[in-house]
Amino acid sequence: MLVRFWGTRGSLPTPLRADSVREKIVDAVMKANGRTFDSEDEAARFVDAEFSFAERGTYGGDSSCVEIVSDSDEFIVCDMGSGLRRFGIDSFRRMAEGKPKVFNFFMSHLHWDHIMGFPFFGPAFVPGVTINIHGGHEEIETALRRQQEQISFPVPFDALNATFNFRTLTPGETYDIAGCRVQLLDQFHDNDSYGYRFECGGKAAVYSTDSEHKPDREAEDQAFVEFFRNADLVIFDTMYTLADAVTMKEDWGHSSNVAAVDLCHRAGARRLAMFHHEPVNDDITMLGIHRETIRYEELMRQNRPLEVLCAYDGLEIEL
């Protein structure tokens, strides 16, 4: 199983501004301190060795979109945030190489940051493409059609040429879809949100975003502990720090880095991918939160280590 992140921000896209790029270049020039390099490879090795991820890269700006590559030839995608546009472009390349034109989407919920990429999803305009959309909400088709009404978008849903199938899934049931055993779990979020567990090839990945886990909900969280049990990867909403989550942003529907580590420890998960990043946080802030989360995991660890990753647009994780 391979997991690709096409969009990792929460609430709205957060593109890197020109002044932020300039700051990164200034920092790089200062750190190089007059050094010269005989080749691009030598310069690249210097950058990789001497720069933090926040200095040499970016956590990205697109909203939620994650691809699960299973043993099946069909596409599997969680959510339709703005990252879906780039995924769609890449899928044309893979379909040209012979991959079947079948897409399986799994929707966490229907808030705009999780569906806003769909009107820009190129394969939806192509005859012969099949798009299967799965989720716990019965209103998925209504939500997608509504955002393409004339007042909001120039191309109506009915102008799309792909074949669409909408399937409402039930929490607690197990489904065989695109080579994976799939389960979903009802989560703590306004207008309902659903997490997904994908099992295939002896590996398990969990996609759990837009769910608010509070310190006093340990008993209620037991269902999540079982859902995450021994997962090879848990993709988890860490939009806030614990201080934010329990004060001014309480009841906003999102969780913290601390809640993520605690739940993964209880479940015996192997890897945590921090996800659905706060749009206010720049790359340096994100790096600091990532490092704090790694340190918290080390302090709270009782059994096997939990590897803590901070997801970014373009990250690939092989399970």
Side-chain angles (χ1 to χ4, degrees):
M1 183 187 292
L2 178 70
V3 180
R4 290 193 180 101
F5 292 84
W6 295 95
T8 58
R9 286 282 175 178
S11 295
L12 77 166
T14 311
L16 196 62
R17 287 163 46 100
D19 57 349
S20 298
V21 175
R22 182 177 181 276
E23 288 176 7
K24 291 177 185 287
I25 294 172
V26 170
D27 290 342
V29 171
M30 293 298 294
K31 187 164 287 190
N33 194 26
R35 286 190 54 164
T36 59
F37 304 96
D38 293 333
S39 67
E40 289 185 6
D41 287 341
E42 183 182 349
R45 287 193 295 270
F46 170 75
V47 169
D48 290 340
E50 300 297 330
F51 289 70
S52 69
F53 179 79
E55 292 170 321
R56 70 175 185 269
T58 181
Y59 290 96
D62 276 316
S63 63
S64 302
C65 184
V66 177
E67 179 184 6
I68 307 290
V69 181
S70 70
D71 296 334
S72 169
D73 287 335
E74 297 181 8
F75 293 98
I76 300 174
V77 183
C78 296
D79 280 337
M80 300 176 173
S82 62
L84 184 62
R85 185 185 69 86
R86 288 183 184 272
F87 165 76
I89 293 171
D90 187 75
S91 68
F92 279 123
R93 172 187 60 81
R94 286 184 272 169
M95 288 189 291
E97 294 172 352
K99 191 173 178 70
K101 301 176 181 179
V102 181
F103 295 84
N104 293 278
F105 286 96
F106 295 86
M107 304 302 300
S108 66
H109 65 307
L110 305 177
H111 286 169
W112 190 43
D113 53 320
H114 291 256
I115 65 172
M116 66 195 320
F118 182 73
F120 304 94
F121 180 54
F125 293 83
V126 178
V129 167
T130 298
I131 298 177
N132 304 312
I133 304 177
H134 312 270
H137 299 84
E138 296 181 353
E139 307 89 355
I140 295 176
E141 182 175 1
T142 299
L144 296 182
R145 285 182 173 277
R146 184 176 56 195
Q147 74 170 343
Q148 289 190 230
E149 291 177 356
Q150 188 173 13
I151 195 171
S152 300
F153 197 76
V155 181
F157 187 93
D158 286 335
L160 304 177
N161 294 312
T163 298
F164 289 89
N165 300 301
F166 293 89
R167 185 181 186 186
T168 303
L169 306 182
T170 302
E173 298 291 326
T174 300
Y175 302 89
D176 292 319
I177 302 172
C180 288
R181 293 179 71 250
V182 182
Q183 296 174 303
L184 71 162
L185 179 69
D186 198 357
Q187 303 186 132
F188 308 122
H189 195 69
D190 186 41
N191 294 322
D192 294 327
S193 171
Y194 296 91
Y196 293 89
R197 182 181 175 106
F198 301 89
E199 297 180 6
C200 62
K203 301 295 182 180
V206 173
Y207 180 78
S208 179
T209 188
D210 291 71
S211 183
E212 183 168 3
H213 297 271
K214 298 182 178 182
D216 59 353
R217 274 185 179 166
E218 187 168 332
E220 295 178 53
D221 281 339
Q222 188 59 36
F224 289 83
V225 172
E226 297 306 322
F227 198 68
F228 297 177
R229 182 72 68 191
N230 296 323
D232 296 281
L233 174 67
V234 175
I235 302 165
F236 191 91
D237 180 340
T238 57
M239 191 165 184
Y240 305 136
T241 63
L242 180 61
D244 285 339
V246 300
T247 57
M248 58 184 175
K249 295 181 179 178
E250 186 178 10
D251 297 325
W252 284 26
H254 302 284
S255 287
S256 69
N257 55 337
V258 168
V261 171
D262 289 346
L263 284 171
C264 286
H265 272 169
R266 290 171 61 188
R270 292 171 175 80
R271 282 178 177 169
L272 163 67
M274 300 168 63
F275 184 73
H276 205 270
H277 307 314
E278 164 65 62
V280 172
N281 292 340
D282 61 15
D283 291 319
I284 295 297
T285 302
M286 289 299 309
L287 178 65
I289 294 172
H290 185 199
R291 287 173 172 171
E292 290 172 1
T293 309
I294 291 173
R295 180 58 177 156
Y296 178 77
E297 188 281 327
E298 293 171 346
L299 292 171
M300 301 304 293
R301 183 188 305 162
Q302 295 182 347
N303 296 303
R304 69 182 177 195
L306 170 69
E307 182 181 359
V308 178
L309 308 173
C310 193
Y312 58 86
D313 296 4
L315 173 66
E316 295 187 356
I317 301 175
E318 183 78 50
L319 303 182

